[in-house]
Amino acid sequence: MRRLAAAIARHPLLLALVVANVAVKIWLWPRTGHASFTGDEIYYHEAGQAIADLMRQVATFQAPDTTLVRDSLVSDGSFLPGNAILLAPLYLLSPHADAATTRLYLGVLTTVALFALAVFVHRRLGARAAGLLLVTGCVPMWAQFSYALWADLMAGLVLVVLVLELLRVGLDWYAGRPLRLRTGVWIGVLAAGLLYLRSSSLPASLGALALLLVGTLLLGRATWRRSLVAAALACVVFVALLAPWSVTASHYLGARVVTTTTLPLSRAVAFGHVDDVCFGPCPPGSIWTSSIRYSRGIAALTGQSEVDVQREMSAYALRDSDLRSWIAQVRGDFGRFVFKPGGFARRFEARPAPPADSTHIRLVTWPTVVLYGALLVAFALALLVVVRRGVRDQLALLLLKLFGAAALVQPFVHISSGRYWPSFAPLLAVMAAVLLDLARPGRRAEPGLRILTVAQALVTGLVAVVAAVVLLG
């Protein structure tokens, strides 16, 4: 907080943005804070309580309750428990905290996390980047998501930290400094934490580790041996942190589970025939819960794992799918994922719901569309720009391109909606700041690296090809 105060003293506009962040969250609290848990939020609530109960048992030297682990923490394996871990301290202090208390806790936690990240970004990229990051927190729908138990928003903040750490490592390599062991450990922790918060961030987590290994050989030069040890340590830390979940979930579900079990059924619903997911129509109710119950019933009869049954169900639903149908589904999936930022506004209405207030919903959705749309424009421009001079600018833009593209992989493999854009909105804000800095008049032209120019061009070309296939295929 001292560093935030120092930054505000030098840049008073940051104070206005901090105040605006708090004001927006206070404005939204009456209609958001008391909403009951829905959908995936129920899992995180129950899993957070289970972790708190297990912590109490360990603290009092009791044997952990395996039923809690199986039914509440692992459940059907659809979710990684990242946000449940963040909720555990609340439930440790208040075991029966209601929805309003839980949402207030998360609202405060996410605000503190955003302000801490703004300080971090200010140190690495300057006041403009910190300011644009704080603008993200003023987007009404983003502020509403900060009260939700979904982990996408917090994952978006961690993603920015991971990218900026990789930027610092790359600049150290260019300056002839090796990757330090503690930095390798830290990046391994960040990659694992990002994955625990959002399972679809696997491309970003694995990509960060791969960049450490590849960058060691391409940029490390004289220090590559020392850097390679630290990069390997990052991979070891990542695997060590993921292993407890993977082993536990695999044990209780009777099949190998690396992250989650959601991909087969999600692919079936997104790209297959929904009426064939349960080898025919699923029982009445939500397709997700009914298909999982069905897979458990089949598993009980056949002795298979429910995970293996779900894979068979997915294969059956996808049996007639081809490239053309897949592209058509991806197009719709991508549209919901990227271009529907206000799609969840009604989900945050307090329950029992007050009379529908269309004015309030418009006040939430329209500023969201405008501000988020500006970030999307910046993202599109950043994908097109290739910087040839200035290693720092080259590295920053390359990393933002890579991880921005990685954040958009989900619609190609998993059903998507307007719930997920907070997971990459902070990264788009940082990307916009980098673009503005590149356009600043009077910047000194510094030498660049040809390999970084080529890498930027390759990423741009690859994204353009994929976009053309999806849009025109």
Side-chain angles (χ1 to χ4, degrees):
M1 296 305 293
R2 287 196 301 270
R3 288 173 177 169
L4 179 62
I8 288 173
R10 293 193 298 272
H11 305 282
L13 180 60
L14 295 180
L15 175 60
L17 290 170
V18 167
V19 172
N21 269 263
V22 175
V24 169
K25 298 192 83 163
I26 292 174
W27 166 56
L28 292 170
W29 171 256
R31 297 187 67 91
T32 303
H34 299 277
S36 57
F37 301 135
T38 62
D40 299 352
E41 290 185 302
I42 296 172
Y43 162 79
Y44 291 115
H45 166 64
E46 294 177 350
Q49 290 182 320
I51 293 172
D53 289 340
L54 291 169
M55 292 170 67
R56 289 190 197 93
Q57 292 167 7
V58 171
T60 55
F61 303 102
Q62 301 178 48
D65 185 349
T66 56
T67 303
L68 274 177
V69 177
R70 183 188 67 232
D71 296 342
S72 297
L73 188 57
V74 174
S75 185
D76 54 35
S78 296
F79 310 96
L80 279 160
N83 223 35
I85 294 171
L86 295 180
L87 288 169
L90 169 66
Y91 295 134
L92 194 62
L93 296 174
S94 179
H96 305 293
D98 60 8
T101 303
T102 304
R103 294 194 188 282
L104 180 61
Y105 167 80
L106 283 173
V108 173
L109 183 65
T110 50
T111 298
V112 171
L114 177 65
F115 291 168
L117 180 59
V119 173
F120 181 75
V121 169
H122 182 270
R123 290 172 58 196
R124 297 293 173 85
L125 296 177
R128 182 183 288 111
L132 284 172
L133 181 70
L134 290 173
V135 168
T136 304
C138 296
V139 177
M141 276 299 301
W142 196 92
Q144 283 195 321
F145 276 114
S146 72
Y147 288 123
L149 274 65
W150 301 307
D152 310 288
L153 183 143
M154 191 66 79
L157 302 180
V158 174
L159 179 61
V160 172
V161 178
L162 180 60
V163 171
L164 294 187
E165 284 296 318
L166 291 173
L167 174 61
R168 181 171 66 90
V169 168
L171 294 176
D172 284 346
W173 278 332
Y174 181 67
R177 294 185 292 270
L179 175 62
R180 293 178 293 181
L181 292 178
R182 66 180 181 182
T183 302
V185 171
W186 176 229
I187 290 177
V189 170
L190 287 173
L194 177 62
L195 185 60
Y196 265 97
L197 287 168
R198 190 166 187 265
S199 60
S200 57
S201 64
L202 183 62
S205 294
L206 295 183
L209 300 176
L211 283 175
L212 278 186
L213 296 171
V214 173
T216 295
L217 301 178
L218 295 181
L219 298 178
R221 295 174 182 164
T223 65
W224 73 269
R225 288 183 178 84
R226 293 173 60 187
S227 294
L228 190 60
V229 173
L233 183 59
C235 298
V236 170
V237 169
F238 174 80
V239 172
L241 291 175
L242 182 61
W245 164 259
S246 183
V247 171
T248 302
S250 299
H251 171 71
Y252 282 105
L253 294 172
R256 186 176 63 182
V257 178
V258 178
T259 55
T260 64
T261 61
T262 56
L263 190 57
L265 287 179
S266 185
R267 289 182 65 242
V269 173
F271 308 118
H273 297 289
V274 177
D275 290 338
D276 289 337
V277 170
C278 296
F279 303 114
C282 288
S286 165
I287 185 65
W288 306 111
T289 56
S290 62
S291 61
I292 289 171
R293 283 197 303 267
Y294 179 85
S295 70
R296 285 180 172 172
I298 295 296
L301 291 173
T302 62
Q304 294 174 276
S305 162
E306 63 186 87
V307 178
D308 293 331
V309 174
Q310 290 167 18
R311 290 169 182 155
E312 293 174 4
M313 293 163 61
S314 178
Y316 184 79
L318 291 165
R319 67 192 185 282
D320 296 327
S321 299
D322 56 19
L323 180 60
R324 185 176 295 277
S325 65
W326 176 79
I327 290 174
Q329 294 296 331
V330 167
R331 190 181 299 126
D333 214 17
F334 192 83
R336 292 188 297 273
F337 183 78
V338 177
F339 300 117
K340 300 286 186 180
F344 267 57
R346 293 185 182 274
R347 290 285 294 272
F348 290 103
E349 293 294 299
R351 293 174 175 80
D357 186 349
S358 58
T359 301
H360 172 80
I361 291 175
R362 283 197 298 270
L363 287 174
V364 169
T365 54
W366 281 108
T368 297
V369 169
V370 171
L371 293 172
Y372 171 74
L375 294 179
L376 275 184
V377 171
F379 176 60
L381 291 174
L383 287 175
L384 296 174
V385 171
V386 175
V387 179
R388 299 179 60 186
R389 304 185 67 82
V391 171
R392 185 176 183 276
D393 295 333
Q394 288 180 309
L395 269 175
L397 199 58
L398 174 61
L399 288 171
L400 290 168
K401 286 173 185 280
L402 285 171
F403 284 91
L408 300 182
V409 168
Q410 180 174 326
F412 294 87
V413 296
H414 195 289
I415 196 165
S416 305
S417 69
R419 197 194 94 183
Y420 300 105
W421 65 268
S423 64
F424 56 85
L427 192 70
L428 301 190
V430 173
M431 186 175 283
V434 170
L435 277 182
L436 288 174
D437 192 56
L438 289 173
R440 179 168 49 88
R443 297 179 75 255
R444 292 178 56 189
E446 300 175 352
L449 290 178
R450 182 176 178 80
I451 189 172
L452 296 178
T453 302
V454 172
Q456 291 175 76
L458 287 174
V459 175
T460 297
L462 178 62
V463 172
V465 169
V466 172
V469 170
V470 171
L471 295 176
L472 306 175

